[in-house]
Amino acid sequence: MRVVVLEDESAVADAVAAHFASLIRRKPDAVLGLATGGTPVGAYQRLIELHRRHGLSFRQISSFNLDEYLGLDEDHPQSYRRFMNEQLFDPIDIDKNRTRVPPGRPDDIRTACQRYEDEIVAAGGIDLQLLGIGRDGHIAFNEPGSSLASRTRCTTLAATTILDNARFFGSEDLVPRAALTMGIGTILDARQILLMATGSGKAEAIAGSIEGPVSSRVPGSALQLHPDVVVYLDAAAAHRLEYLEYYLESERTHRSLGLLPFP
Ligand code: GLP
């Protein structure tokens, strides 16, 4: 796992966008795994800027989002499909037919989940999967207790997640109780995973994910089993890491050896 600790939220957004842009330039038809929540918004804004000012093109890109609330129509103000359209897809030149978000109102839940898995495989697998993390360590909507081998399925939101996401809905009562989400096993199939976190509220989940035991108690800890994970953190999200000095030193060493592909 490569752990990159940066000064603040803005530096994290820059680094994540640069990482995506580098892949897109190298592989213009890359398959991206995308995330929602407050954390990636800054990085998406940077990507929009790179598209507008520097001609970064998404024309041949395909994407799969991690999850969607169950019961929300695509145009519901809090649906993840609408979030992605507004925060990234509408302002860039991506072909929306090649963007996938799990359906919020599937005819049949099991069929829809299997179809999502099949579509990822048919697209050739995900090249780079972006992840945020919940305060309770969830990735996508894989809450504590999720199988580390889980696939795309319907999950129940944990109480802390309902509370955290109530800010988007205006009230806890309005937050859907269930979601369709890629499983942890689905996420681990991506060729590279990029986890981003900012703010002290994420510090414990980050420490548990990077340094804690691999356990369904902290779903993010499953990332320790993947061979190519890059974690971008601001200082606040990193402050509970026991080996922080080591990660900083490791970055310096790799940089001096010319081993870092990204700034
Ligand atoms: C949501 C999403 C996750 C996201 C997490 C953190 O519940 N399902 O994919 O990583 O919460 O959200 P935020 O970035 O707003 O803190």
Side-chain angles (χ1 to χ4, degrees):
M1 222 184 250
R2 179 181 162 208
V3 181
V4 186
V5 182
L6 300 160
E7 207 179 320
D8 55 21
E9 201 178 330
S10 167
V12 171
D14 286 343
V16 169
H19 195 127
F20 269 90
S22 169
L23 169 67
I24 293 165
R25 289 197 183 100
R26 246 186 2 258
K27 188 174 180 187
D29 60 350
V31 181
L32 309 181
L34 299 174
T36 51
T39 312
V41 169
Y44 292 158
Q45 283 167 358
R46 272 26 164 222
L47 285 172
I48 294 166
E49 264 171 52
L50 286 169
H51 167 67
R52 287 190 177 144
R53 297 208 187 141
H54 301 279
L56 183 70
S57 177
F58 295 77
R59 209 164 295 138
Q60 298 176 61
I61 293 291
S62 313
S63 73
F64 289 89
N65 260 79
L66 288 167
D67 45 17
E68 179 61 282
Y69 291 110
L70 196 64
L72 299 195
D73 285 320
E74 287 198 345
D75 60 355
H76 185 285
Q78 296 311 327
S79 84
Y80 284 166
R81 161 53 76 182
R82 179 140 164 202
F83 174 98
M84 288 310 300
N85 287 349
E86 289 175 353
Q87 299 296 332
L88 184 64
F89 298 152
D90 287 340
I92 59 176
D93 62 346
I94 199 163
D95 176 357
K96 284 244 195 81
N97 294 318
R98 279 207 279 258
T99 66
R100 295 273 186 277
V101 178
R105 285 184 174 275
D107 292 337
D108 180 80
I109 291 176
R110 284 201 181 88
T111 312
C113 292
Q114 186 55 52
R115 190 177 306 133
Y116 207 64
E117 291 276 333
D118 295 344
E119 283 178 349
I120 295 172
V121 172
I126 291 171
D127 290 305
L128 178 59
Q129 175 66 59
L130 179 63
L131 294 178
I133 193 160
R135 268 196 310 144
D136 62 0
H138 74 244
I139 49 175
F141 271 129
N142 295 284
E143 297 285 14
S146 295
S147 157
L148 303 186
S150 52
R151 309 303 305 187
T152 302
R153 69 202 186 291
C154 178
T155 55
T156 304
L157 271 59
T160 48
T161 304
I162 293 170
L163 196 66
D164 286 348
N165 291 359
R167 72 190 194 277
F168 297 113
F169 287 84
S171 131
E172 254 185 77
D173 298 341
L174 298 175
V175 182
R177 268 35 187 177
L180 291 203
T181 182
M182 277 189 207
I184 297 175
T186 321
I187 291 168
L188 292 178
D189 282 347
R191 288 182 192 93
Q192 188 179 48
I193 297 175
L194 199 164
L195 170 64
M196 67 185 300
T198 53
S200 58
K202 301 292 173 67
E204 201 175 324
I206 283 297
S209 297
I210 298 174
E211 297 175 340
V214 175
S215 161
S216 66
R217 282 172 179 270
V218 181
S221 67
L223 300 176
Q224 294 174 37
L225 301 171
H226 192 281
D228 194 357
V229 177
V230 185
V231 188
Y232 290 105
L233 305 172
D234 68 358
H239 88 270
R240 299 280 303 269
L241 290 169
E242 193 179 335
Y243 301 110
L244 179 57
E245 277 312 315
Y246 174 76
Y247 307 131
L248 297 171
E249 182 56 26
S250 176
E251 279 296 292
R252 284 191 287 268
T253 307
H254 279 71
R255 194 177 304 280
S256 69
L257 291 170
L259 292 174
L260 292 187
F262 303 109

